[in-house]
Amino acid sequence: MILKPTDHPKTHHDKNIGVLLVNLGTPENTETKSIRIYLKEFLSDPRVVEIPRLIWWPILNLIILNIRPKKSAEKYLSVWTEQGSPLMVNSLGQLAGLKRKLKGRNEKIVVELAMRYGKPSINSAILKMMEQDVDKLLILPLYPQYSGSTTATVFDKVFESISKLRNPPSIRLRKSFHDHPDYIVAVANDIEKFWLKNGKPEHLLFSFHGVPVRSLQDGDPYHCQCHKTARMVSEKLALKESQWTISFQSRFGKAEWLQPYTSETLKELPKKGVKNIHIISPGFSSDCLETLEELEEENREYFMESGGEKYKYIPCLNDDDEHIDVFVNLIKKNIQGWA
């Protein structure tokens, strides 16, 4: 059957621009079952664990998923809030702040939040945007530094999702913002505000989430981008090289990971006469288990037990107004030509 022009399905001429914020994800609650579901999805991602599937599957399903959920449940319970997961609460705060800042612009920008693992899923968020007449979509992973195990796996899931659509939107991807001037200024300003309230320490430790050394050897730029972020922030703060250090946290498994390790660094600093430190993790856009439990609690013990006297954790930017402005400016830059 040949359709006449008047018979064609109606289309909307005024299409919208979509912005999808994506963070890592979180269990829905602190029950072991919920954490097992979350960990299974996360650790089944071949970009997260680069071990041949035939070897990894029995290790994951027969050992790790029978042991780790219970241990993780205790840790999640120590940071959980009345509103729920800190990462989810902070991410929703960022979403609300961004919607507020973008309201009233000439072009209509639809903003949604998704998690790479867990809910709301990337697929459901994209479908929700399509229902709002989005035909141009900017993907903004909330990872300042790019890594194959974080940002790239977001892109994988996005393309998997849009491959199922009859009429997918145009796509733009923001790969990283580790050296974006606004981001560097926001982190530096946040540190200075913290120092005004808590005093300036002897030493500032930048702790980034670790990845296996193999990632660096295979060409992943994450290690270099972490160093650049720390260097630019320390320069903005006018710190001498002796006043700051970079380290990597959250090791998993027996493989060698990026060094120096945060835990070992904190054990060594008091031996070098450094007794008063502040620690910050500018690789996270939101406070989560890795910051609130690992840095705020676990690593504090390493430092204090090794002879440290004062230890303070500087929170992530979370939904700080200046942090939201960073996202606004990233969006403006990346939708040029679309508006």
Side-chain angles (χ1 to χ4, degrees):
M1 180 178 68
I2 300 177
L3 292 177
K4 298 176 182 179
T6 53
D7 297 329
H8 285 202
K10 292 183 179 180
T11 57
H12 298 283
H13 294 290
D14 297 325
K15 296 290 186 178
N16 298 318
I17 296 171
V19 177
L20 183 59
L21 306 178
V22 186
N23 213 325
L24 182 73
T26 174
E28 294 187 58
N29 53 58
T30 58
E31 295 179 4
T32 301
K33 181 180 178 181
S34 177
I35 294 172
R36 182 178 290 111
I37 292 171
Y38 170 73
L39 287 177
K40 183 170 185 177
E41 183 182 8
F42 175 51
L43 296 175
S44 293
D45 190 329
R47 281 198 187 264
V48 173
V49 180
E50 297 183 78
I51 297 175
R53 298 297 93 182
L54 285 176
I55 298 174
W56 179 239
W57 191 94
I59 296 173
L60 174 62
N61 289 277
L62 301 179
I63 302 175
I64 293 175
L65 292 179
N66 285 319
I67 298 174
R68 188 157 179 172
K70 185 177 180 180
K71 293 181 179 179
S72 295
E74 296 173 359
K75 294 183 177 182
Y76 275 110
L77 194 60
S78 72
V79 302
W80 215 257
T81 72
E82 291 183 2
Q83 294 77 32
S85 159
L87 184 141
M88 181 61 75
V89 172
N90 290 322
S91 296
L92 289 173
Q94 292 167 347
L95 176 66
L98 195 49
K99 286 183 175 181
R100 184 179 67 252
K101 294 257 184 185
L102 292 173
K103 191 175 182 180
R105 287 179 61 88
N106 292 331
E107 70 280 2
K108 184 176 179 183
I109 300 179
V110 177
V111 188
E112 295 293 346
L113 171 70
M115 296 293 168
R116 175 58 186 88
Y117 312 102
K119 299 177 181 179
S121 69
I122 289 174
N123 190 61
S124 66
I126 289 178
L127 289 176
K128 188 175 181 181
M129 288 180 145
M130 298 304 291
E131 292 171 356
Q132 299 175 75
D133 291 326
V134 165
D135 75 337
K136 299 177 183 69
L137 179 57
L138 170 64
I139 308 300
L140 180 56
L142 298 177
Y143 308 115
Q145 298 80 21
Y146 170 90
S147 172
S149 58
T150 53
T151 312
T153 190
V154 168
F155 296 165
D156 289 346
K157 201 66 178 180
V158 167
F159 286 116
E160 178 186 313
S161 181
I162 66 171
S163 70
K164 302 171 185 176
L165 299 175
R166 171 69 64 178
N167 184 21
S170 299
I171 295 283
R172 286 182 182 174
L173 313 169
R174 181 72 195 198
K175 191 173 179 181
S176 71
F177 51 96
H178 66 286
D179 59 355
H180 192 283
D182 294 338
Y183 172 66
I184 298 300
V185 168
V187 174
N189 286 347
D190 190 54
I191 293 171
E192 289 185 323
K193 284 187 287 186
F194 190 86
W195 287 350
L196 282 175
K197 293 181 180 179
N198 299 277
K200 190 174 180 179
E202 295 174 336
H203 203 82
L204 178 64
L205 179 62
F206 294 93
S207 179
F208 294 87
H209 197 288
V211 298
V213 170
R214 177 183 172 185
S215 299
L216 173 61
Q217 295 170 339
D218 288 346
D220 197 307
Y222 178 74
H223 177 264
C224 301
Q225 291 186 0
C226 290
H227 274 270
K228 188 171 185 179
T229 297
R231 185 178 71 250
M232 291 180 73
V233 171
S234 63
E235 288 173 353
K236 198 73 180 174
L237 295 169
L239 295 179
K240 299 176 182 178
E241 286 190 16
S242 60
Q243 294 178 303
W244 65 277
T245 304
I246 183 173
S247 63
F248 297 90
Q249 63 185 85
S250 308
R251 304 198 304 277
F252 176 75
K254 296 182 179 180
E256 182 184 0
W257 283 45
L258 296 180
Q259 296 189 39
Y261 300 138
T262 296
S263 57
E264 299 306 312
T265 299
L266 288 169
K267 293 173 184 177
E268 291 298 320
L269 282 173
K271 298 176 184 178
K272 299 176 180 178
V274 178
K275 302 298 181 74
N276 179 3
I277 73 160
H278 288 176
I279 187 167
I280 189 170
S281 192
F284 293 94
S285 64
S286 170
D287 275 309
C288 54
L289 184 71
E290 285 79 7
T291 62
L292 297 175
E293 193 280 330
E294 189 175 350
L295 293 184
E296 178 75 90
E297 298 177 17
E298 180 182 335
N299 281 277
R300 175 192 300 276
E301 293 181 12
Y302 293 140
F303 182 71
M304 301 303 282
E305 290 175 358
S306 299
E309 296 174 358
K310 292 183 180 180
Y311 176 105
K312 288 189 179 294
Y313 166 68
I314 303 174
C316 293
L317 292 172
N318 295 318
D319 59 357
D320 181 87
D321 201 56
E322 194 170 2
H323 196 203
I324 304 303
D325 285 336
V326 173
F327 296 149
V328 170
N329 291 334
L330 285 170
I331 291 167
K332 288 179 180 178
K333 177 74 173 178
N334 284 274
I335 65 171
Q336 287 183 4
W338 273 359

